[in-house]
């Protein structure tokens, strides 16, 4: 069946480090893919999305490319900041279901 | 534009009781989805309502039910509460226009339910 597998956390990095959070999926159709973020004490909010293969979503310095050949949607940022500390969710959305990854807690040290 | 609001924000119940949670979507949004978030199971989809009809349903027992009103407000009901129902219940709304797969969901702050 359809599923989303995301990198286990927690992930701790120093400020200005390069970030990758891996996300892979299995799909029976052509889903859209999202990254949502949950900052401490706040609700979930959309970070970026891609609706078809080879699309690249980007926002706030974060990027992710929808790779159909590797069924992946890895989240990357070239230089993280303390304010990026949050929980990140990879999300798969099809016409009939939406599946959240388990979430990756990211902590950035000053 | 006001965001998604959920009431109450916190709730304490005992086993066997029932509870009703409320969600008011962003004005103009016709789709409302409900999720359960727990440390052990993560975020799990409960159901989605669109134009007062349940459109999709997750893998939860029949004790979990919901409905949507003509103004798009939605309620979720859990009957015969169990300890394992303690969780943060999140509501999300979306425009649900066009290709639904690409719709952004806007989340409320959640209702934290504790079952004793």
């Amino acid at each position: 069946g359809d599923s989303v597998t995301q990198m286990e956390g927690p992930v701790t990095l120093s400020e200005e480090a390069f970030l990758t959070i891996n996300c892979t999926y299995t799909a029976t159709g052509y889903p859209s893919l999202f990254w949502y973020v949950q900052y401490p004490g706040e609700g979930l909010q959309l970070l970026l999305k891609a609706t078809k293969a080879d699309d690249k979503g980007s926002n706030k310095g974060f990027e992710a490319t929808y790779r159909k050949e590797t069924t992946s949607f890895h989240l990357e940022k070239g230089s993280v900041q303390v304010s990026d500390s949050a929980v990140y969710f990879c999300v798969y959305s099809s016409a009939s279901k939406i599946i959240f990854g388990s979430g990756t807690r990211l902590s950035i040290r000053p | 534009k006001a965001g998604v609001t959920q009431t109450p924000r916190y709730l304490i119940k005992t086993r066997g009781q029932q509870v009703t949670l409320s969600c008011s979507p962003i004005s103009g949004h016709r789709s409302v989805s409900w999720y359960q978030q727990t440390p052990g199971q993560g975020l799990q989809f409960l159901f989605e309502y669109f134009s007062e009809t349940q459109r999709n349903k997750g893998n939860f027992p029949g004790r979990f039910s919901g409905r949507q009103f003509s103004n798009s407000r939605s309620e979720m009901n859990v009957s015969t509460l169990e300890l394992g129902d303690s969780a943060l219940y999140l509501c999300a709304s979306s425009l649900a226009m066009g290709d639904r797969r690409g719709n952004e969901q806007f989340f409320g702050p959640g209702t934290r339910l504790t079952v004793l």
Side-chain angles (χ1 to χ4, degrees):
Chain A
D2 301 349
S3 66
V4 172
T5 302
Q6 123 175 51
M7 185 170 157
E8 291 275 336
V11 173
T12 303
L13 296 172
S14 297
E15 206 166 18
E16 298 183 5
F18 183 85
L19 168 72
T20 300
I21 300 178
N22 290 338
C23 173
T24 57
Y25 66 92
T26 58
T28 51
Y30 302 95
S32 291
L33 300 171
F34 303 76
W35 279 99
Y36 278 81
V37 58
Q38 190 172 30
Y39 295 104
E42 298 183 20
L44 276 88
Q45 55 187 273
L46 177 68
L47 181 60
L48 53 84
K49 73 176 185 182
T51 57
K52 61 183 187 300
D54 300 326
D55 266 3
K56 178 188 279 190
S58 61
N59 185 26
K60 298 182 181 180
F62 290 90
E63 290 184 340
T65 302
Y66 188 155
R67 303 264 187 222
K68 191 160 176 266
E69 64 277 10
T70 55
T71 62
S72 65
F73 193 56
H74 304 322
L75 182 68
E76 297 182 335
K77 186 174 185 181
S79 176
V80 293
Q81 306 300 313
V82 171
S83 57
D84 295 326
S85 298
V87 181
Y88 293 81
F89 294 89
C90 182
V91 181
Y92 159 116
S93 176
S94 70
S96 61
K97 66 181 71 172
I98 181 164
I99 303 172
F100 279 71
S102 56
T104 301
R105 183 174 298 277
L106 174 67
S107 296
I108 307 300
R109 292 188 300 251
Chain B
K1 216 181 215 184
V4 177
T5 56
Q6 292 187 246
T7 56
R9 292 293 311 279
Y10 301 91
L11 207 46
I12 299 175
K13 292 285 188 179
T14 56
R15 276 181 301 174
Q17 287 187 308
Q18 68 107 25
V19 68
T20 299
L21 311 181
S22 181
C23 172
S24 292
I26 290 172
S27 176
H29 285 194
R30 299 168 65 192
S31 168
V32 174
S33 298
W34 289 90
Y35 299 86
Q36 182 194 65
Q37 186 176 24
T38 61
Q41 299 297 317
L43 251 166
Q44 293 187 285
F45 171 72
L46 279 154
F47 28 66
E48 180 200 3
Y49 284 87
F50 178 80
S51 292
E52 302 177 66
T53 301
Q54 187 180 89
R55 189 154 67 172
N56 287 310
K57 188 176 189 309
N59 191 25
F60 278 80
R63 300 186 296 107
F64 292 82
S65 63
R67 58 178 175 166
Q68 186 180 33
F69 302 94
S70 58
N71 62 357
S72 294
R73 190 177 71 83
S74 176
E75 288 181 347
M76 190 192 93
N77 186 74
V78 187
S79 62
T80 320
L81 284 166
E82 300 177 0
L83 295 179
D85 296 333
S86 294
L88 181 67
Y89 289 89
L90 294 169
C91 165
S93 73
S94 71
L95 277 170
M97 300 290 288
D99 184 352
R100 292 170 48 231
R101 294 172 301 160
N103 284 321
E104 176 181 357
Q105 294 200 65
F106 293 81
F107 284 82
T111 294
R112 184 161 298 281
L113 171 66
T114 302
V115 182
L116 303 175

